[in-house]
Amino acid sequence: HTVTLNGLTAGTLYHYRVKSKDAAGNLAVSPDAVFTTAPPPDTTPPAVSITTPAANSSVSGTITVSATAADNVGVASVQFKLDDVNLGPEDTVAPYSLSWNTATVGNGLYALTAVARDAAGNTASAAVTVTVSNDLTPPVLSGATASALSVDTAAISWTTDELADSQVEYGLSTGYGSASVLDASRVTAHTVTLNGLTAGTLYHYRVKSKDAAGNLAVSPDAVFTTAPPPDTTPPAVSITAPAANSSVSGTITVSATATDNVSVVGVQFKLDNANLGAETTIPLYTFTWNTTTVANGTHTLTAVARDAAGNVAISAPVSVMAANGDVLPPSMPTGLTATAVSSSQIFLVWSPSTDNVGVVGYKIFRDGMQVATSSTSAYQDTGLSPVTTYKYTVAAFDAVGNTSAPSAPASATTLFKSAQGVVPASAGVTPSVTIAGAGPSTASRRSVSAASPFLPAGTRRCVTAA
Ligand SMILES: [Ca+2]
Ligand SMILES: [Ca+2]
Ligand SMILES: [Ca+2]
Ligand SMILES: [Ca+2]
């Protein structure tokens, strides 16, 4: 038996029972049973809206396109479209989104659409208009220069008209071969320091900057030269005038020649190791020397040349003889002492004088009258009278007769005259000595009057007369 029921209400629980009657009219009725009609068909489309990007916004680079969608039954998928062309696959799982690299299309206006579909095939769409505005222009590089050069470093600077990263390629040729580490920070004033360069070497370089959109600009080739290696070679210097061992007087020109592998900065003349004037910095290196300012005699001239790196060289010494007229007297002798050493001799000694040229000797004055000269700072005056006081002064003189002031006076009194004689050793004899001579000479010894024979030579007795 099959009976089709029509005109039922959708999605409704129905009770039913079936009945059958045989040919004899016997009726059978089933127990109650139920069925539910199929639910009513989904005819309600989903609701959909684009959450990003905002309508009428400007977009660039890679962005996220996202939408929300809802349905009375269930959203089956969301399909994004760009100007009615599918953009990526259908998204069947919320949240509905898509990563879109806007650089894959040209700049301009686009319609972004999200189409939501339910399982019944109902669809709905929402659209926003966006402007794709990607940076398609590389930075403009300008002012690439190399500065702050040292023996092994260089600073490369340049500017860009927009924010961009920094890198420098460099090498010994336009093939470069080396590159600085990419500085990814985006700036408009770029500086890259190159290290580990070779001194005194020409380098080729070019600078590179990439904007945020990846547009790369590369400068033309340029060059720089690192600073030369440090100068460790001292100058060479020699005195060209005056000639060695020459005699100089008055005002003369001292001159030197100096050379250096780089350059001579200055030459300092020296006299006896003391600076002679200021350093001269301009070739020819000369100094005007007034030789009368130094003592006559031998002096040593040297010249010290200096380069910019501080290397110095000293010339071979040149000896010269200063020979100017001497008008300066020696200094006054001091410390004069007078000591009587006998009845006829007084010993003088004093501190030596000094002179610009040299002390030749000393004049000895006794009681105001010059009585002698001495080449040393001592003198023994002789031939004096016993027990007599003498006053002395001394004055120093140089080779041309310049004489110092006289020293402070010193006085001494000669001793009593003494005689050496022989006294007999006989008991009971009273010795008698007659003072008849001066000094312990043989003659005076002989002149001692005594009643005894002369003693053998070398035997001495001294008797002082009272
Ligand atoms: Ca629906
Ligand atoms: Ca750009
Ligand atoms: Ca040098
Ligand atoms: Ca003198």
Side-chain angles (χ1 to χ4, degrees), residues 36-432:
T36 302
T37 53
D42 178 12
T43 58
T44 305
V48 62
S49 65
I50 292 179
T51 51
T52 59
N56 302 314
S57 60
S58 180
V59 296
S60 62
T62 296
I63 64 167
T64 296
V65 181
S66 57
T68 59
D71 186 66
N72 61 322
V73 177
V75 175
S77 71
V78 171
Q79 173 66 59
F80 291 102
K81 298 188 174 199
L82 183 71
D83 283 352
D84 293 330
V85 176
N86 282 354
L87 193 60
E90 268 190 335
D91 190 352
T92 57
V93 180
Y96 307 102
S97 67
L98 174 74
S99 182
W100 176 34
N101 179 5
T102 66
T104 58
V105 299
N107 287 345
L109 284 175
Y110 290 88
L112 261 183
T113 307
V115 180
R117 181 176 60 80
D118 63 17
N122 301 301
T123 62
S125 65
V128 294
T129 298
V130 296
T131 302
V132 171
S133 177
N134 278 304
D135 178 4
L136 305 176
T137 307
V140 174
L141 304 171
S142 53
T145 55
S147 62
L149 302 180
S150 71
V151 293
D152 62 354
T153 63
I156 312 297
S157 300
W158 70 97
T159 59
T160 50
D161 65 341
E162 62 176 322
L163 295 172
D165 61 16
S166 310
Q167 192 169 30
V168 174
E169 289 184 303
Y170 62 99
L172 300 180
S173 70
T174 53
Y176 307 109
S178 297
S180 64
V181 174
L182 174 67
D183 182 350
S185 58
R186 294 192 187 96
V187 296
T188 57
H190 307 258
T191 297
V192 170
T193 300
L194 307 179
N195 296 308
L197 304 177
T198 302
T201 302
L202 177 77
Y203 280 87
H204 289 262
Y205 72 97
R206 62 181 180 183
V207 304
K208 299 164 72 174
S209 281
K210 197 162 66 250
D211 64 22
N215 300 302
L216 176 66
V218 180
S219 76
D221 180 64
V223 296
F224 65 82
T225 301
T226 49
D231 178 11
T232 57
T233 305
V237 58
S238 62
I239 292 179
T240 53
N245 302 314
S246 61
S247 180
V248 297
S249 62
T251 296
I252 66 165
T253 297
V254 183
S255 57
T257 57
T259 57
D260 186 67
N261 62 324
V262 179
S263 69
V264 175
V265 171
V267 171
Q268 173 68 62
F269 290 104
K270 295 196 173 207
L271 179 72
D272 299 331
N273 289 325
N275 283 355
L276 191 60
E279 184 183 57
T280 60
T281 57
I282 306 169
L284 305 164
Y285 302 101
T286 62
F287 178 73
T288 301
W289 175 33
N290 179 1
T291 67
T292 66
T293 59
V294 300
N296 282 346
T298 301
H299 296 278
T300 302
L301 285 167
T302 52
V304 179
R306 175 172 72 85
D307 66 20
N311 301 302
V312 297
I314 303 174
S315 72
V318 168
S319 287
V320 294
M321 177 74 72
N324 288 296
D326 180 9
V327 296
L328 297 175
S331 64
M332 183 185 78
T334 58
L336 173 65
T337 61
T339 305
V341 295
S342 74
S343 61
S344 64
Q345 294 175 314
I346 291 177
F347 181 70
L348 304 174
V349 67
W350 57 91
S351 297
S353 295
T354 58
D355 186 67
N356 62 320
V357 177
V359 174
V360 170
Y362 299 87
K363 297 175 180 177
I364 316 300
F365 296 91
R366 181 204 306 140
D367 294 333
M369 297 291 292
Q370 183 181 341
V371 294
T373 62
S374 170
S375 61
T376 67
S377 59
Y379 180 71
Q380 181 125 314
D381 195 19
T382 59
L384 303 176
S385 301
V387 199
T388 304
T389 298
Y390 297 94
K391 187 169 84 173
Y392 295 91
T393 58
V394 296
F397 59 93
D398 63 21
V400 296
N402 297 308
T403 302
S404 75
S407 69
S411 297
T413 302
T414 50
L415 303 179
F416 288 101
K417 184 172 290 182
S418 62
Q420 289 177 306
V422 178
V423 178
S426 305
V429 175
T430 299
S432 114

